[in-house]
């Protein structure tokens, strides 16, 4: 299992660690309108899944804005999903305040379905650990980053390069 800290304190991750080459686990999360969303709803697309503890923090906000700004250059075959346990209402407010319209923010607050399926539930905090997953059009995981310190940034360039390799961009 991936080892992570949050503010330098060891954290217990709940769920199964996802590795490159395996089939991406399905999940059910909530869109900003409270409708259910699954991995299969974006079948046939390349998915960049950006996981953040809370959009209302500096690093999470920067991470989400970075991928929102990068979305246009990735093309129509790419979907960027940002998943946190923030309530859908808070995610909608954040998107409006940040003009984040090229990504989809999704809430895992109800069941932790995504968090447990991808091994990112921080047991001590009931938040999701910062991480990035890239899933190809055939639902195979091609890139994984569990950020070792929850207050650090992920490797944006490596994640975007992993998406570009799948889209020839």
């Amino acid at each position: 299992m991936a080892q992570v800290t949050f503010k330098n304190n060891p954290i217990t991750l709940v769920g199964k660690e996802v590795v490159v080459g395996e089939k991406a686990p399905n999940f059910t999360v909530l869109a900003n309108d409270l409708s259910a969303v699954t991995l299969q709803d974006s079948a046939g697309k390349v998915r960049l899944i950006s996981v953040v503890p809370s959009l209302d923090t500096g690093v999470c906000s920067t991470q989400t804005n970075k991928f929102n700004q990068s979305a246009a250059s990735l093309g129509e075959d790419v979907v960027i999903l940002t998943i946190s346990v923030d309530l859908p209402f808070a995610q909608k407010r954040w998107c409006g305040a940040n003009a984040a319209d090229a990504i989809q923010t999704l809430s895992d607050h109800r069941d932790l379905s995504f968090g447990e399926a991808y091994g990112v539930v921080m047991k001590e905090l009931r938040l999701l650990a910062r991480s990035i997953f890239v899933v190809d059009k055939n639902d195979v995981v091609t890139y994984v980053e569990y950020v070792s310190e929850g207050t650090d940034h992920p490797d944006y360039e490596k994640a975007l390069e992993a998406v570009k390799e799948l889209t020839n961009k």
Side-chain angles (χ1 to χ4, degrees):
M1 193 68 180
Q3 300 294 311
V4 300
T5 58
F6 192 83
K7 296 185 178 178
N8 297 314
N9 295 309
I11 292 293
T12 306
L13 293 181
V14 176
K16 180 186 176 298
E17 182 175 0
V18 172
V19 296
V20 169
E22 72 182 24
K23 183 170 175 57
N26 201 13
F27 54 83
T28 301
V29 291
L30 297 176
N32 293 169
D33 65 2
L34 302 179
S35 63
V37 175
T38 69
L39 179 69
Q40 294 312 303
D41 290 335
S42 55
K45 303 259 186 187
V46 171
R47 277 71 47 104
L48 186 152
I49 304 173
S50 173
V51 184
V52 298
S54 176
L55 290 171
D56 285 321
T57 64
V59 176
C60 298
S61 183
T62 298
Q63 179 175 330
T64 305
N65 275 313
K66 171 80 173 166
F67 288 128
N68 185 63
Q69 292 163 4
S70 299
S73 68
L74 299 176
E76 293 183 16
D77 287 338
V78 176
V79 174
I80 299 176
L81 309 175
T82 295
I83 303 178
S84 71
V85 294
D86 293 311
L87 294 175
F89 317 110
Q91 291 179 338
K92 184 175 183 179
R93 177 195 45 75
W94 185 92
C95 286
N98 288 274
D101 56 3
I103 59 167
Q104 185 175 16
T105 55
L106 300 167
S107 176
D108 200 22
H109 87 93
R110 184 173 61 188
D111 300 324
L112 296 175
S113 171
F114 174 86
E116 290 179 0
Y118 285 71
V120 294
V121 176
M122 294 189 286
K123 180 180 178 181
E124 294 82 356
L125 302 172
R126 200 180 188 283
L127 296 172
L128 302 182
R130 186 175 318 285
S131 47
I132 306 288
F133 304 91
V134 176
V135 178
D136 73 11
K137 294 178 181 183
N138 298 311
D139 297 338
V140 174
V141 177
T142 63
Y143 177 85
V144 173
E145 180 184 6
Y146 290 89
V147 179
S148 61
E149 165 51 48
T151 59
D152 288 347
H153 290 270
D155 190 329
Y156 300 112
E157 295 311 314
K158 276 190 180 177
L160 292 169
E161 186 59 36
V163 171
K164 290 174 184 175
E165 286 176 14
L166 297 172
T167 61
N168 300 318
K169 291 229 175 232

